[in-house]
Every structure is written in C-alpha cells, then in structure tokens.
Amino acid sequence: MPIVVDIDVMLAKRKMSVGDLADRVGITPANLAVLKNGRAKAVRFTTLAALCEVLKCQPGELLRWEPEDTAGE
C-alpha cells in the first residue's frame, strides 16, 4: 500500500510503548498494531486527531505516501 504509517518512529521519539499509546488514545493495542503495521484499510479522523494530540505531532509525521513498486509492469 502506498500510504506508510510511521507511528513506531514517533513512539521511539517519545519513548512511549504501544500499550501506553493505546490506553491514552482509547483504542485497543490490537487495533493500534493493525494501524502501526500498515494493515489498516482506514483510520478515523478522530483517531488520527487523538494520536496527534497524545504524540504532540502533526498528521504528516504519522502518515506518508510512497509510490507503489511498478517494476513488474
């Protein structure tokens, strides 16, 4: 998927665990892991806003676009 989630980078910068972030944002650690590992199909703006509030960052620090590998075309 061309959208990459960099939550792990921000967690490392903030020295915060996945469990702590999940508790503070109000989502399950399993759902946060799905988002963090790039398996999520969507993210609610309210969740994104809560992540940004807790991590004290902008959405662009958590999400970035990378072009898909089209070497096989």
Side-chain angles (χ1 to χ4, degrees), residues 45-66:
F45 281 151
T46 53
T47 302
L48 182 58
L51 288 166
C52 290
E53 182 176 351
V54 170
L55 294 170
K56 302 205 180 329
C57 66
Q58 293 296 312
E61 294 176 273
L62 299 178
L63 304 172
R64 63 186 159 86
W65 178 82
E66 285 188 356

Side-chain angles (χ1 to χ4, degrees), residues 14 27 35 60:
R14 301 296 188 255
I27 62 176
L35 181 60

